[in-house]
Amino acid sequence: MKTAVVTGASRGIGAAIAVAMAKNGYNVILGYKENKEKCENLAKVLIEGYGIAAFAVKADVSVSKEADALIDVAYKNFGRIDVLVNNAGIAGFKLFTEISDEEWNDMIGTNLTGVFNCSRAAAKYMVSAHSGSIINISSMWGQVGASCEVHYSAAKAGVIGLTQALAKELAPSNVRVNCICPGVIKTDMLQSIDDETIDSLIEETPIGRIGTPKDIADSVAFLCSDASSFITGQVLGVNGGFVI
Ligand code: NAP
């Protein structure tokens, strides 16, 4: 049975990805940082609903030892890692000159170094199995930049670069690496944005709505399926036409 590791699976986009993977018959390891109960409840729902094995593992992806442990737990339990979805992330809105060292380091640590840590840990298993798929969740702001989100945009642009370089390095080992750049998606991450701003973001989205976590999960399911076996190193915008 195939195994998927999804970071940031306690809520939002990561939770929807975990559901999609379980629905497709994968055993799922759900990574979280703080929301133990939520993540464990979701694992229970997946086991009962889809007859797969699933469990929640606490791991701060910005800490390489914790990322290593997350991947090793998956391998020890299931003997294989077929899919890694690097989804865990944080957001931040700050004037550029007011971003502190700590905020910069947190943002890069979680959103970029976290992808490096988990991918490095998983790649060794995938390369030796000569099979695997890594999917990184970047952002449309990593493609075009967002005002007052320089640290977020820089980290997400880094994820695109990491995806492209790693795809070239791992393709000969039959490991694919792709990246999804979501547009505005309704999750806790939007909590600090007022209704007026959300309305104007909807207006700016040609398709006329904001996205759902399932919109992203459906694209992840495609990118780790055999239907995408000739696709690697690509950056897929799932943004309702916001960035074209
Ligand atoms: P969310 O609802 O805020 O959930 C974030 C998830 O990441 C949670 O599961 C959280 O775990 C986990 N997390 C945060 N820091 C972590 C760390 N250091 N180590 C491990 N896990 C950590 O966010 P979301 O909207 O679903 O976003 C998911 C991904 O999509 C992020 O990479 C985000 O940048 C990207 N994205 C989102 C949007 C959007 O509009 N929502 C748009 C573009 C890109 P806990 O619950 O345990 O804290």
Side-chain angles (χ1 to χ4, degrees):
M1 211 159 158
K2 288 189 171 185
T3 300
V5 178
V6 182
T7 68
S10 50
R11 52 200 168 97
I13 293 170
I17 293 169
V19 171
M21 301 309 294
K23 226 178 196 169
N24 289 332
Y26 284 79
N27 291 327
V28 190
I29 283 72
L30 300 95
Y32 68 94
K33 186 182 176 197
E34 277 156 17
N35 279 300
K36 181 172 194 254
E37 208 182 317
K38 253 189 178 172
C39 208
E40 286 180 346
N41 286 342
L42 177 58
K44 221 185 269 174
V45 167
L46 299 185
I47 294 164
E48 286 164 7
Y50 301 104
I52 51 94
F55 52 90
V57 178
K58 179 177 166 64
D60 180 341
V61 295
S62 69
V63 179
S64 66
K65 273 188 184 154
E66 295 190 27
D68 287 347
L70 171 71
I71 300 297
D72 289 346
V73 162
Y75 189 77
K76 274 179 195 139
N77 277 274
F78 300 120
R80 56 193 289 171
I81 296 170
D82 300 280
V83 173
L84 166 66
V85 185
N86 284 306
N87 163 79
I90 53 172
F93 302 87
K94 267 283 174 83
L95 277 177
F96 177 60
T97 48
E98 288 176 7
I99 296 172
S100 67
D101 290 356
E102 197 189 348
E103 286 163 340
W104 174 264
N105 290 332
D106 273 358
M107 186 64 76
I108 300 297
T110 302
N111 289 7
L112 180 57
T113 309
V115 176
F116 164 72
N117 286 338
C118 294
S119 300
R120 183 179 58 180
K124 65 175 189 282
Y125 295 120
M126 292 179 171
V127 167
S128 66
H130 208 72
S131 168
S133 178
I134 297 174
I135 294 150
N136 298 322
I137 307 299
S138 175
S139 164
M140 65 178 175
W141 302 132
Q143 297 174 286
V144 296
S147 171
C148 296
E149 292 187 71
V150 167
H151 48 351
Y152 183 79
S153 303
K156 292 299 190 180
V159 170
I160 293 172
L162 186 157
T163 299
Q164 292 167 328
L166 189 60
K168 288 181 182 173
E169 189 167 328
L170 297 187
S173 302
N174 195 35
V175 176
R176 298 185 296 114
V177 189
N178 288 292
C179 178
I180 291 174
C181 289
V184 184
I185 309 295
K186 194 166 173 31
T187 69
D188 293 350
M189 206 169 254
L190 299 192
Q191 250 169 9
S192 61
I193 302 179
D194 59 61
D195 289 349
E196 210 175 299
T197 310
I198 296 282
D199 286 346
S200 73
L201 287 166
I202 291 171
E203 245 167 63
E204 277 181 84
T205 307
I207 233 159
R209 67 170 175 90
I210 58 172
T212 65
K214 185 175 179 299
D215 287 321
I216 307 305
D218 287 344
S219 298
V220 169
F222 167 67
L223 283 176
C224 64
S225 73
D226 289 344
S228 64
S229 62
F230 201 48
I231 298 177
T232 196
Q234 300 307 304
V235 179
L236 177 62
V238 183
N239 59 36
F242 200 113
V243 169
I244 292 178

